[in-house]
Amino acid sequence: MPRMNLRTNGSEERPVPSVVLIVEDNAIIAMNTESLLLDLGVADVRSASSVTDALALMDEVDFQFAILDLRLSEDETSLPVAERLLKAGTPFVFATGFGEEADMPAGFSHAPILKKPYGFEDLSRVLRG
């Protein structure tokens, strides 16, 4: 399938990020998200299922965008990853089944939310935003 660029308005093209990080503990959601991102034209998608794995990937790869499952398990959230992305100036969204009603921690109330379940159009929209 040919790769495509997303449009922000009628004449200005904004290319999709080349390298995207997915932090998601559900393997099926991570694989589906990776497939959708590749269909949208992302060249390199990396996945991590824990904060430790995500931070290790961030030591190796310069990500341009990230999709973070807010709650990775009962004991772990993706907030340490979000903090590091914020410091690096890397855009990200939180993915959650709670949508806009998610109880966002202090300092992250401004972060965009991608409501689960999400699909191609939802990812297209967040990559443009």
Side-chain angles (χ1 to χ4, degrees):
M1 173 180 286
R3 302 296 184 213
M4 62 183 170
N5 287 334
L6 300 174
R7 295 184 179 274
T8 56
N9 64 38
S11 62
E12 179 185 340
E13 280 192 16
R14 179 175 170 193
V16 296
S18 296
V19 187
V20 174
L21 171 65
I22 302 168
V23 182
E24 171 63 61
D25 62 334
N26 182 303
I28 293 172
I29 293 173
M31 288 187 298
N32 184 59
T33 302
E34 178 178 358
S35 177
L36 292 170
L37 290 170
L38 292 171
D39 287 347
L40 282 164
V42 176
D44 187 6
V45 180
R46 308 285 179 100
S47 296
S49 61
S50 70
V51 169
T52 301
D53 292 345
L55 294 176
L57 278 174
M58 292 172 73
D59 287 340
E60 300 172 11
V61 179
D62 184 23
F63 291 101
Q64 296 175 341
F65 192 83
I67 300 169
L68 311 176
D69 181 7
L70 182 57
R71 180 158 301 283
L72 297 171
S73 68
E74 284 187 34
D75 302 332
E76 188 174 47
T77 68
S78 60
L79 293 178
V81 178
E83 289 170 356
R84 186 158 165 196
L85 291 165
L86 196 60
K87 287 179 186 172
T90 304
F92 65 90
V93 295
F94 285 117
T96 178
F98 296 105
E100 299 296 328
E101 296 82 37
D103 186 21
M104 297 303 293
F108 291 100
S109 60
H110 68 282
I113 295 175
L114 181 61
K115 188 175 190 297
K116 292 180 181 180
Y118 51 83
F120 184 87
E121 292 300 322
D122 303 311
L123 287 173
S124 174
R125 187 184 71 252
V126 300
L127 289 177
R128 283 183 287 188

